[in-house]
Amino acid sequence: TIARAPELSAIVDVGHRSSAVAVGAAVFNARVAAASAGILGPVEWTTDADDSPLRAVLRFANGTDAALAALYEPTMARETNRRIGTPDPIDEETVAQLLRAASSEGAALRLLTGAEELRQIADILAACDRIRFLTPRLHAEMRTEVRWPGDPNPDTGIDVASLELDAGGVAALDLLRRPDVMTQLADWDAGSALGADTRTRILASSAVGVVSITGNSLLDLARGGSAAEAIWVAANSRGLAVQPCTPLFAHARNVSERHGLSPMFARELDNLAYNFDELVRPVADEVIAIVFRFSRGPAASVRSRRRPVVSDPRSSR
């Protein structure tokens, strides 16, 4: 099994770092499936291949791992849940399980649970959404991610129904797809409501989880991606709704990279990144892999898209 970080195709995928996190998550899933099938072997990482900045090859063998194998069904059931939940406190046993999941893959997890912490992170993430909408390149990229009824390639991207919007929200999003509307709002320095949906969801959450790793290489970030998947599976297994909500600037490591995301909002991005660091207080040499929000509530109305399974690896036993 080969997983690769693709060529840079997204503006926010600075230095392929977001792709590296995704590769790590994919490798975790592959390890779980192989362990369940009794064919788990070593993972070989390559960071100097000509055609890919990061490659992972999972070799099949006769091995297994009881802890990984037990995660097969929960991993298959994992879902993104964007519903507005309820901010019920997370019990100590669940917190301990989430922390163990992070450390088992070599990462750290910080949970922001206080009302003031959630308000601050809600403000930061809402401001990031406004910048995404009002920056033409980011807005164009965002439009390509969402699949509407009748769109081609329905098995890729984000189904608009999975955004859990009511009829008014869907109508508003359809209007916000228009570049001319965004250009006008940017000219007016308006659009403060563009992050309102994110703010509402964060404030209705039990916690925001920040997954971090020591080191800044693509391989380190892949380790963070594996940890993110382990945390996600553990959270779903404990009845938590999970939604990634990583801030726009998370994988930009310096001023130049942040300004490259949105030159027109460069100073605001610097301030948001500073406020985020003040809130999260990362230790030296630690970088952010991904950010989640956790809440309690009903299951997602639409499951995350999955491509058809060609064959179940467990059938090879």
PDB file of all heavy atoms in Angstrom, residues 279-298:
ATOM      1  N   LEU A 279      -2.910  31.453  23.402  1.00  0.00           N
ATOM      2  CA  LEU A 279      -3.974  30.634  23.994  1.00  0.00           C
ATOM      3  C   LEU A 279      -3.510  29.203  24.212  1.00  0.00           C
ATOM      4  O   LEU A 279      -3.741  28.616  25.268  1.00  0.00           O
ATOM      5  CB  LEU A 279      -5.200  30.659  23.082  1.00  0.00           C
ATOM      6  CG  LEU A 279      -6.410  29.821  23.512  1.00  0.00           C
ATOM      7  CD1 LEU A 279      -6.949  30.310  24.850  1.00  0.00           C
ATOM      8  CD2 LEU A 279      -7.506  29.894  22.437  1.00  0.00           C
ATOM      9  N   VAL A 280      -2.837  28.633  23.211  1.00  0.00           N
ATOM     10  CA  VAL A 280      -2.464  27.216  23.253  1.00  0.00           C
ATOM     11  C   VAL A 280      -1.162  27.000  24.007  1.00  0.00           C
ATOM     12  O   VAL A 280      -0.952  25.948  24.616  1.00  0.00           O
ATOM     13  CB  VAL A 280      -2.365  26.658  21.810  1.00  0.00           C
ATOM     14  CG1 VAL A 280      -1.871  25.231  21.803  1.00  0.00           C
ATOM     15  CG2 VAL A 280      -3.722  26.763  21.129  1.00  0.00           C
ATOM     16  N   ARG A 281      -0.244  27.972  23.964  1.00  0.00           N
ATOM     17  CA  ARG A 281       1.046  27.903  24.634  1.00  0.00           C
ATOM     18  C   ARG A 281       1.849  26.660  24.225  1.00  0.00           C
ATOM     19  O   ARG A 281       2.185  25.819  25.062  1.00  0.00           O
ATOM     20  CB  ARG A 281       0.855  27.893  26.144  1.00  0.00           C
ATOM     21  CG  ARG A 281       0.220  29.134  26.731  1.00  0.00           C
ATOM     22  CD  ARG A 281       1.185  30.301  26.710  1.00  0.00           C
ATOM     23  NE  ARG A 281       0.618  31.510  27.330  1.00  0.00           N
ATOM     24  CZ  ARG A 281       1.255  32.659  27.431  1.00  0.00           C
ATOM     25  NH1 ARG A 281       2.479  32.766  26.945  1.00  0.00           N
ATOM     26  NH2 ARG A 281       0.687  33.705  27.998  1.00  0.00           N
ATOM     27  N   PRO A 282       2.172  26.515  22.936  1.00  0.00           N
ATOM     28  CA  PRO A 282       2.972  25.356  22.526  1.00  0.00           C
ATOM     29  C   PRO A 282       4.374  25.441  23.116  1.00  0.00           C
ATOM     30  O   PRO A 282       4.919  26.528  23.309  1.00  0.00           O
ATOM     31  CB  PRO A 282       3.009  25.481  20.997  1.00  0.00           C
ATOM     32  CG  PRO A 282       2.802  26.936  20.729  1.00  0.00           C
ATOM     33  CD  PRO A 282       1.894  27.427  21.816  1.00  0.00           C
ATOM     34  N   VAL A 283       4.945  24.276  23.410  1.00  0.00           N
ATOM     35  CA  VAL A 283       6.300  24.248  23.939  1.00  0.00           C
ATOM     36  C   VAL A 283       7.290  24.379  22.784  1.00  0.00           C
ATOM     37  O   VAL A 283       6.919  24.313  21.612  1.00  0.00           O
ATOM     38  CB  VAL A 283       6.567  22.936  24.719  1.00  0.00           C
ATOM     39  CG1 VAL A 283       5.603  22.812  25.884  1.00  0.00           C
ATOM     40  CG2 VAL A 283       6.464  21.725  23.797  1.00  0.00           C
ATOM     41  N   ALA A 284       8.569  24.563  23.118  1.00  0.00           N
ATOM     42  CA  ALA A 284       9.603  24.739  22.092  1.00  0.00           C
ATOM     43  C   ALA A 284       9.647  23.531  21.165  1.00  0.00           C
ATOM     44  O   ALA A 284       9.497  22.387  21.612  1.00  0.00           O
ATOM     45  CB  ALA A 284      10.945  24.947  22.768  1.00  0.00           C
ATOM     46  N   ASP A 285       9.853  23.804  19.881  1.00  0.00           N
ATOM     47  CA  ASP A 285       9.982  22.766  18.844  1.00  0.00           C
ATOM     48  C   ASP A 285       8.690  21.990  18.613  1.00  0.00           C
ATOM     49  O   ASP A 285       8.703  20.935  17.984  1.00  0.00           O
ATOM     50  CB  ASP A 285      11.104  21.773  19.179  1.00  0.00           C
ATOM     51  CG  ASP A 285      12.458  22.452  19.287  1.00  0.00           C
ATOM     52  OD1 ASP A 285      12.711  23.380  18.498  1.00  0.00           O
ATOM     53  OD2 ASP A 285      13.249  22.064  20.161  1.00  0.00           O
ATOM     54  N   GLU A 286       7.583  22.481  19.106  1.00  0.00           N
ATOM     55  CA  GLU A 286       6.302  21.808  18.921  1.00  0.00           C
ATOM     56  C   GLU A 286       5.494  22.552  17.870  1.00  0.00           C
ATOM     57  O   GLU A 286       5.435  23.785  17.870  1.00  0.00           O
ATOM     58  CB  GLU A 286       5.548  21.774  20.253  1.00  0.00           C
ATOM     59  CG  GLU A 286       4.318  20.895  20.257  1.00  0.00           C
ATOM     60  CD  GLU A 286       3.671  20.864  21.640  1.00  0.00           C
ATOM     61  OE1 GLU A 286       3.071  21.877  22.048  1.00  0.00           O
ATOM     62  OE2 GLU A 286       3.789  19.829  22.318  1.00  0.00           O
ATOM     63  N   VAL A 287       4.860  21.811  16.964  1.00  0.00           N
ATOM     64  CA  VAL A 287       4.036  22.422  15.926  1.00  0.00           C
ATOM     65  C   VAL A 287       2.661  21.769  15.916  1.00  0.00           C
ATOM     66  O   VAL A 287       2.474  20.643  16.388  1.00  0.00           O
ATOM     67  CB  VAL A 287       4.686  22.305  14.529  1.00  0.00           C
ATOM     68  CG1 VAL A 287       6.021  23.022  14.486  1.00  0.00           C
ATOM     69  CG2 VAL A 287       4.851  20.843  14.121  1.00  0.00           C
ATOM     70  N   ILE A 288       1.709  22.488  15.351  1.00  0.00           N
ATOM     71  CA  ILE A 288       0.329  22.009  15.304  1.00  0.00           C
ATOM     72  C   ILE A 288       0.133  21.101  14.103  1.00  0.00           C
ATOM     73  O   ILE A 288       0.523  21.440  12.981  1.00  0.00           O
ATOM     74  CB  ILE A 288      -0.650  23.196  15.239  1.00  0.00           C
ATOM     75  CG1 ILE A 288      -0.418  24.162  16.403  1.00  0.00           C
ATOM     76  CG2 ILE A 288      -2.094  22.700  15.230  1.00  0.00           C
ATOM     77  CD1 ILE A 288      -0.501  23.528  17.771  1.00  0.00           C
ATOM     78  N   ALA A 289      -0.486  19.951  14.335  1.00  0.00           N
ATOM     79  CA  ALA A 289      -0.838  19.048  13.237  1.00  0.00           C
ATOM     80  C   ALA A 289      -2.272  19.285  12.788  1.00  0.00           C
ATOM     81  O   ALA A 289      -2.553  19.406  11.591  1.00  0.00           O
ATOM     82  CB  ALA A 289      -0.654  17.592  13.667  1.00  0.00           C
ATOM     83  N   ILE A 290      -3.200  19.358  13.747  1.00  0.00           N
ATOM     84  CA  ILE A 290      -4.618  19.509  13.415  1.00  0.00           C
ATOM     85  C   ILE A 290      -5.358  20.000  14.652  1.00  0.00           C
ATOM     86  O   ILE A 290      -4.864  19.853  15.787  1.00  0.00           O
ATOM     87  CB  ILE A 290      -5.210  18.150  12.930  1.00  0.00           C
ATOM     88  CG1 ILE A 290      -6.540  18.336  12.186  1.00  0.00           C
ATOM     89  CG2 ILE A 290      -5.345  17.175  14.085  1.00  0.00           C
ATOM     90  CD1 ILE A 290      -7.022  17.081  11.482  1.00  0.00           C
ATOM     91  N   VAL A 291      -6.516  20.591  14.452  1.00  0.00           N
ATOM     92  CA  VAL A 291      -7.377  21.053  15.539  1.00  0.00           C
ATOM     93  C   VAL A 291      -8.767  20.457  15.332  1.00  0.00           C
ATOM     94  O   VAL A 291      -9.288  20.453  14.211  1.00  0.00           O
ATOM     95  CB  VAL A 291      -7.452  22.592  15.592  1.00  0.00           C
ATOM     96  CG1 VAL A 291      -8.398  23.055  16.701  1.00  0.00           C
ATOM     97  CG2 VAL A 291      -6.052  23.185  15.803  1.00  0.00           C
ATOM     98  N   PHE A 292      -9.350  19.944  16.402  1.00  0.00           N
ATOM     99  CA  PHE A 292     -10.690  19.356  16.373  1.00  0.00           C
ATOM    100  C   PHE A 292     -11.620  20.123  17.301  1.00  0.00           C
ATOM    101  O   PHE A 292     -11.177  20.733  18.281  1.00  0.00           O
ATOM    102  CB  PHE A 292     -10.675  17.906  16.876  1.00  0.00           C
ATOM    103  CG  PHE A 292      -9.958  16.920  16.012  1.00  0.00           C
ATOM    104  CD1 PHE A 292      -8.895  16.191  16.523  1.00  0.00           C
ATOM    105  CD2 PHE A 292     -10.364  16.692  14.707  1.00  0.00           C
ATOM    106  CE1 PHE A 292      -8.247  15.247  15.746  1.00  0.00           C
ATOM    107  CE2 PHE A 292      -9.716  15.754  13.917  1.00  0.00           C
ATOM    108  CZ  PHE A 292      -8.657  15.027  14.435  1.00  0.00           C
ATOM    109  N   ARG A 293     -12.897  20.033  17.032  1.00  0.00           N
ATOM    110  CA  ARG A 293     -13.881  20.406  18.048  1.00  0.00           C
ATOM    111  C   ARG A 293     -14.670  19.146  18.414  1.00  0.00           C
ATOM    112  O   ARG A 293     -14.984  18.323  17.549  1.00  0.00           O
ATOM    113  CB  ARG A 293     -14.814  21.530  17.590  1.00  0.00           C
ATOM    114  CG  ARG A 293     -15.876  21.143  16.583  1.00  0.00           C
ATOM    115  CD  ARG A 293     -16.826  22.321  16.310  1.00  0.00           C
ATOM    116  NE  ARG A 293     -17.926  21.913  15.432  1.00  0.00           N
ATOM    117  CZ  ARG A 293     -19.104  21.475  15.876  1.00  0.00           C
ATOM    118  NH1 ARG A 293     -19.339  21.399  17.173  1.00  0.00           N
ATOM    119  NH2 ARG A 293     -20.040  21.125  15.031  1.00  0.00           N
ATOM    120  N   PHE A 294     -14.958  19.000  19.707  1.00  0.00           N
ATOM    121  CA  PHE A 294     -15.685  17.851  20.229  1.00  0.00           C
ATOM    122  C   PHE A 294     -16.982  18.340  20.867  1.00  0.00           C
ATOM    123  O   PHE A 294     -16.991  19.352  21.583  1.00  0.00           O
ATOM    124  CB  PHE A 294     -14.865  17.111  21.295  1.00  0.00           C
ATOM    125  CG  PHE A 294     -13.526  16.634  20.822  1.00  0.00           C
ATOM    126  CD1 PHE A 294     -12.357  17.213  21.304  1.00  0.00           C
ATOM    127  CD2 PHE A 294     -13.412  15.604  19.903  1.00  0.00           C
ATOM    128  CE1 PHE A 294     -11.112  16.762  20.894  1.00  0.00           C
ATOM    129  CE2 PHE A 294     -12.174  15.153  19.472  1.00  0.00           C
ATOM    130  CZ  PHE A 294     -11.019  15.736  19.968  1.00  0.00           C
ATOM    131  N   SER A 295     -18.064  17.605  20.623  1.00  0.00           N
ATOM    132  CA  SER A 295     -19.345  17.967  21.236  1.00  0.00           C
ATOM    133  C   SER A 295     -20.186  16.716  21.412  1.00  0.00           C
ATOM    134  O   SER A 295     -19.795  15.616  21.005  1.00  0.00           O
ATOM    135  CB  SER A 295     -20.090  18.995  20.378  1.00  0.00           C
ATOM    136  OG  SER A 295     -20.427  18.441  19.111  1.00  0.00           O
ATOM    137  N   ARG A 296     -21.329  16.888  22.028  1.00  0.00           N
ATOM    138  CA  ARG A 296     -22.307  15.811  22.154  1.00  0.00           C
ATOM    139  C   ARG A 296     -23.507  16.157  21.295  1.00  0.00           C
ATOM    140  O   ARG A 296     -23.926  17.309  21.221  1.00  0.00           O
ATOM    141  CB  ARG A 296     -22.761  15.658  23.602  1.00  0.00           C
ATOM    142  CG  ARG A 296     -21.658  15.297  24.587  1.00  0.00           C
ATOM    143  CD  ARG A 296     -21.263  13.852  24.494  1.00  0.00           C
ATOM    144  NE  ARG A 296     -20.273  13.491  25.507  1.00  0.00           N
ATOM    145  CZ  ARG A 296     -19.707  12.298  25.608  1.00  0.00           C
ATOM    146  NH1 ARG A 296     -20.026  11.343  24.743  1.00  0.00           N
ATOM    147  NH2 ARG A 296     -18.812  12.062  26.547  1.00  0.00           N
ATOM    148  N   GLY A 297     -24.072  15.160  20.651  1.00  0.00           N
ATOM    149  CA  GLY A 297     -25.241  15.417  19.827  1.00  0.00           C
ATOM    150  C   GLY A 297     -25.577  14.229  18.960  1.00  0.00           C
ATOM    151  O   GLY A 297     -24.927  13.179  19.031  1.00  0.00           O
ATOM    152  N   PRO A 298     -26.596  14.370  18.124  1.00  0.00           N
ATOM    153  CA  PRO A 298     -26.997  13.260  17.243  1.00  0.00           C
ATOM    154  C   PRO A 298     -25.942  12.979  16.185  1.00  0.00           C
ATOM    155  O   PRO A 298     -25.061  13.804  15.922  1.00  0.00           O
ATOM    156  CB  PRO A 298     -28.297  13.769  16.615  1.00  0.00           C
ATOM    157  CG  PRO A 298     -28.192  15.266  16.688  1.00  0.00           C
ATOM    158  CD  PRO A 298     -27.440  15.553  17.957  1.00  0.00           C
TER     159      PRO A 298
END
